[in-house]
Amino acid sequence: LYGLKDMVTSGKEKLEISFWSFSLGKRGSQEISFQVPALSSHKIWQGDLSKVLSGAGCQDVSDCVVSLQVIDRRNQVVSENIFFPGNPKDAKMQDPNIEWKFEEMERSRIRVTLKCDAVAAYVWLDTNVPGRFDDNAFVMKPQIEKKIIFEAWEDFSIKEFASSFTVRSYYDIYYK
């Protein structure tokens, strides 16, 4: 696993590797401190992924998803990547039971707060109201709220937004 520093300054950072079972939630995590020199790449971690997954309580590569978060010295997440150690079509996904609520904001904006019961891969949001979501096609972790802002390109009502709002995930496409 390599880190790439595209900034002109270097500093100590942490990599948090978390293992999320599709059926059991978070199975474990480990932190690795590292320093990547400015404007360069550097090896951060190397190991046997099967052993690490097994040690985290994942039965096999189809049972878990892995979250990689880089945390800076101010304890802020500066980068997050999710990957499937196996093929996503073979993953042992559970129905994530995604729930949502809306909160009207100023100037044609709505905050959508989502929560799920199981790992939800490739969650995407849609509505017939012209506009854009500030994030889409993301992975959700169980019991961790995800807040998304929708900004409309024209005036609309929350009723209009809510009546056409849909949430889908990888589970909906391949398992329902």
Side-chain angles (χ1 to χ4, degrees):
L1 183 62
Y2 281 80
L4 172 68
K5 185 76 161 200
D6 59 357
M7 300 174 76
V8 294
T9 59
S10 63
K12 284 197 166 243
E13 292 159 315
K14 294 184 290 188
L15 173 67
E16 181 179 11
I17 306 172
S18 302
F19 306 92
W20 294 82
S21 167
F22 290 107
S23 57
L24 301 171
K26 189 171 184 177
R27 302 299 296 153
S29 64
Q30 65 183 75
E31 279 189 5
I32 300 167
S33 293
F34 70 94
Q35 185 167 350
V36 175
L39 302 172
S40 67
S41 64
H42 186 76
K43 187 188 301 182
I44 297 171
W45 179 81
Q46 180 176 343
D48 183 337
L49 187 58
S50 296
K51 286 182 183 176
V52 173
L53 287 169
S54 177
C58 300
Q59 297 170 358
D60 58 44
V61 296
S62 64
D63 185 42
C64 285
V65 65
V66 180
S67 166
L68 304 166
Q69 289 185 322
V70 176
I71 302 165
D72 69 11
R73 63 183 170 272
R74 295 180 311 271
N75 219 27
Q76 300 289 320
V77 175
V78 295
S79 177
E80 179 175 24
N81 287 291
I82 305 284
F83 81 94
F84 291 86
N87 190 326
K89 73 177 180 66
D90 298 327
K92 298 174 184 172
M93 290 185 193
Q94 307 292 311
D95 186 346
N97 298 310
I98 301 170
E99 296 178 351
W100 58 88
K101 60 184 177 185
F102 307 123
E103 177 186 342
E104 266 187 293
M105 301 172 70
E106 75 289 340
R107 296 187 313 265
S108 301
R109 294 170 49 162
I110 288 182
R111 176 180 291 121
V112 180
T113 302
L114 303 140
K115 198 170 184 181
C116 61
D117 294 335
V119 172
Y122 308 119
V123 175
W124 73 95
L125 314 176
D126 197 12
T127 183
N128 291 337
V129 174
R132 66 176 291 277
F133 293 95
D134 69 346
D135 195 4
N136 220 337
F138 46 84
V139 175
M140 289 183 64
K141 300 167 190 167
Q143 304 307 319
I144 297 175
E145 284 189 346
K146 176 83 171 171
K147 294 181 186 294
I148 305 292
I149 304 296
F150 176 80
E151 189 159 352
W153 294 330
E154 56 192 45
D155 288 339
F156 70 100
S157 71
I158 195 161
K159 182 179 177 185
E160 177 187 6
F161 178 85
S163 69
S164 66
F165 181 77
T166 58
V167 178
R168 292 184 184 88
S169 72
Y170 194 88
Y171 180 86
D172 297 308
I173 301 301
Y174 291 98
Y175 296 91
K176 279 192 172 179

